[in-house]
Amino acid sequence: MGLAKRIIPCLDVDAGRVVKGVQFVDIRDAGDPIEVAKRYDEQGADEITFLDITATHHERDTMLHVVEAVASQVFIPLTVGGGIRTVDDIRRMLNAGADKVGINSAAVKNPDFVREAAERFGSQCIVVAIDAKQVSAEGEPLKWEIFTHGGRQPTGIDAVEWARKMVDLGAGEILLTSMDRDGTKSGFDLDLTRAISDAVDVPVIASGGVGKLQDLSDGIKQGHADAVLAASIFHFGEHTVGEAKQQMASQGIEVRL
Amino acid sequence: MRRVAVIDYGMGNLRSVSKALEAVSADQAEIIVSADPGTILSASHVVFPGVGAIRDCIAELKRLQLDQVVIEAAGSKPFLGICLGMQALLSHSEENHGVDALDVIPGEVKFFDKPVADNGDKLKVPHMGWNRVHQTCDHPLWQNIEQDSRFYFVHSYFVSPADPAVVAGTTPYPDDFAAAIYRDNVFAAQFHPEKSQHAGLQLLENFVNWDGQS
């Protein structure tokens, strides 16, 4: 009896609207991030993550308003990732009501940004998002590299070493996405998840590839993840967060019910 | 009408705290976020939140001349410390190579040093997520909150009060640590009630309605 494993629904937000499609049976306007966040809160989500995929700079403030609105109605932790490049970006998100920010490409560009951010705001709110892809051939020892630009741009950086370095610089949590599995619904890359989770002392969130409820339990039990993040299995009403938790609990995983 | 002052010293999620207080107090209380000593000391209730590192916390309190304000408020009216705001009430913290804190409640703030679960698994630090809080006393702030409810935590240090009688609730990680402490008109929690959904909002509601008697 102790710390629960977490389930974190993730919403991709473009110019203030949830994209990738969210279809709750009884929500008319499924594209409203506030409505969607409230629904996940009611279902028992342990946290909610927003990924801001807004392409244009002038629409970025929209995300601040979304966070402000959600934070005044939903009283669980909120993480915002996407477009976080400066200390000022972080401050504005935290002031709007975010509890944590996800840093991804800005960390690859300048690892010291993670140190600066952690020193300024504390490690507890700095999540480093890692997009990794397997680069070892079949039969070779497993190896993963960091990729940027949605998995198109290799960096030559080893994923396990990178995760350790980010934690040394002050990351309080790692959000790990397998670019091989993202969008495939074939389950997490469990070898990758386990390799990173066992290599660092901070919590690791597994992401990328969830297609069924069992994938979530596998991420915890086989991948050693501390939390699991998923989007589409919840968005389309296939499963509720509550169902996912019941399923995890039935396999002996401690969850908040 | 009650006036709840949330102390603003630049360390933390003040908006989350004030929004949660607003949500539970409806029209019963006015919620004010302030760094002004007069405003804070004239409020009926004071909330001392905080996230980040203790060195900056104490330094900012002193720079804004709020350290004595915190001590005075903690000695005179219903007072709620949250997370770093709890740790700052103790005498001393191990964080940042050792920092003297406000010494409102005697004791130490210690690091989770490589905790290991009963099954041999190493536990992650920070202690992050929803854990159980076992209420070890009857306190008005626990009213209508089920025993062993889960609250949201995120911290790498925990308080170890000199007098174990001030512990109001414990949480296992894997050893029991003080998740909440109390003395007279002061209550302080390591977890974030403003992020702990129903149980957390209930605790905040209890606080707004509290007369400071424990």
Side-chain angles (χ1 to χ4, degrees), chain A residues 1-4 6 41-42 44-47 67-69 71-72 74-78 94-100 119-125 171-173 196-204 224 226 254-257, chain B residues 10-24 51-53 55-56 83 114 122-132 148 150-156 171-174 192-198 201:
Chain A
M1 297 269 272
L3 187 64
R6 288 169 282 153
D41 176 46
E42 285 162 16
D46 295 307
E47 299 182 18
V67 173
E68 274 177 11
S72 46
V74 172
F75 299 102
I76 59 174
L78 307 174
L94 298 180
N95 285 345
D99 299 282
K100 311 184 220 180
E119 279 177 1
R120 197 69 155 268
F121 304 104
S123 291
Q124 83 290 333
C125 66
E173 193 170 35
I196 301 280
S197 192
D198 289 354
V200 298
D201 291 331
V202 304
V204 171
H224 299 176
D226 302 282
E254 186 152 359
V255 291
R256 177 179 72 108
L257 290 171
Chain B
M11 298 290 288
N13 55 344
L14 298 177
R15 191 184 157 84
S16 299
V17 174
S18 63
K19 285 291 157 192
L21 285 165
E22 280 168 18
V24 299
V51 296
R55 184 187 52 207
D56 296 346
C83 194
K114 299 187 170 45
K122 70 174 183 185
L123 296 173
K124 300 296 182 87
V125 178
H127 171 230
M128 186 187 288
W130 298 79
N131 206 338
R132 292 183 188 279
D148 296 315
R150 287 184 187 277
F151 288 85
Y152 187 80
F153 290 84
V154 50
H155 62 124
S156 300
T171 292
Y173 200 64
H192 287 275
E194 76 281 9
K195 288 290 161 183
S196 296
Q197 218 197 16
H198 305 306
L201 294 178

Side-chain angles (χ1 to χ4, degrees), chain B residues 107-124:
Chain B
E108 288 287 311
V109 183
K110 296 177 176 172
F111 183 58
F112 281 117
D113 199 6
K114 299 187 170 45
V116 176
D118 294 342
N119 65 4
D121 286 353
K122 70 174 183 185
L123 296 173
K124 300 296 182 87

Side-chain angles (χ1 to χ4, degrees), chain A:
Chain A
M1 297 269 272
L3 187 64
K5 300 297 182 184
R6 288 169 282 153
I7 294 187
I8 308 174
C10 178
L11 308 178
D12 285 3
V13 179
D14 184 0
R17 304 287 293 172
V18 180
V19 294
K20 263 194 188 169
V22 177
Q23 296 173 356
F24 287 127
V25 185
D26 48 352
I27 288 187
R28 209 168 294 147
D29 182 7
D32 178 358
I34 299 153
E35 290 305 313
V36 176
K38 279 161 75 172
R39 174 52 51 98
Y40 286 139
D41 176 46
E42 285 162 16
Q43 290 181 2
D46 295 307
E47 299 182 18
I48 296 173
T49 289
F50 297 95
L51 187 60
D52 186 7
I53 59 167
T54 306
T56 54
H57 192 74
H58 71 275
E59 280 178 317
R60 288 218 170 267
D61 281 352
T62 313
M63 194 66 205
L64 284 174
H65 302 310
V66 168
V67 173
E68 274 177 11
V70 172
S72 46
Q73 298 175 64
V74 172
F75 299 102
I76 59 174
L78 307 174
T79 302
V80 182
I84 304 288
R85 295 191 179 87
T86 66
V87 163
D88 201 49
D89 290 337
I90 299 175
R91 189 198 335 272
R92 291 195 303 155
M93 278 303 167
L94 298 180
N95 285 345
D99 299 282
K100 311 184 220 180
V101 293
I103 302 175
N104 191 338
S105 49
V108 177
K109 212 174 276 176
N110 173 21
D112 234 33
F113 175 49
V114 174
R115 186 206 307 273
E116 195 188 348
E119 279 177 1
R120 197 69 155 268
F121 304 104
S123 291
Q124 83 290 333
C125 66
I126 305 302
V127 183
V128 170
I130 295 180
D131 293 343
K133 219 170 173 173
Q134 188 177 329
V135 290
S136 49
E138 217 177 302
E140 286 178 4
L142 289 167
K143 190 171 159 45
W144 300 268
E145 248 180 46
I146 303 300
F147 277 67
T148 58
H149 298 84
R152 294 188 304 275
Q153 187 89 44
T155 64
I157 303 169
D158 179 79
V160 176
E161 278 171 30
W162 180 247
R164 283 205 187 99
K165 181 174 177 181
M166 290 298 102
V167 172
D168 286 344
L169 288 174
E173 193 170 35
I174 299 287
L175 168 56
L176 174 67
T177 303
S178 161
M179 300 310 288
D180 299 308
R181 298 298 178 92
D182 202 25
T184 65
K185 290 187 164 260
S186 58
F188 295 121
D189 182 337
L190 296 172
D191 291 317
L192 167 68
T193 307
R194 192 168 50 244
I196 301 280
S197 192
D198 289 354
V200 298
D201 291 331
V202 304
V204 171
I205 306 165
S207 159
V210 175
K212 56 186 189 302
L213 292 183
Q214 183 61 39
D215 294 336
L216 300 171
S217 297
D218 290 347
I220 302 285
K221 289 195 125 174
Q222 297 177 47
H224 299 176
D226 302 282
V228 286
L229 181 139
S232 52
I233 63 159
F234 299 132
H235 289 347
F236 293 97
E238 284 170 50
H239 297 289
T240 64
V241 176
E243 284 166 16
K245 287 189 165 182
Q246 292 291 351
Q247 202 267 359
M248 285 164 74
S250 74
Q251 298 187 24
I253 296 171
E254 186 152 359
V255 291
R256 177 179 72 108
L257 290 171

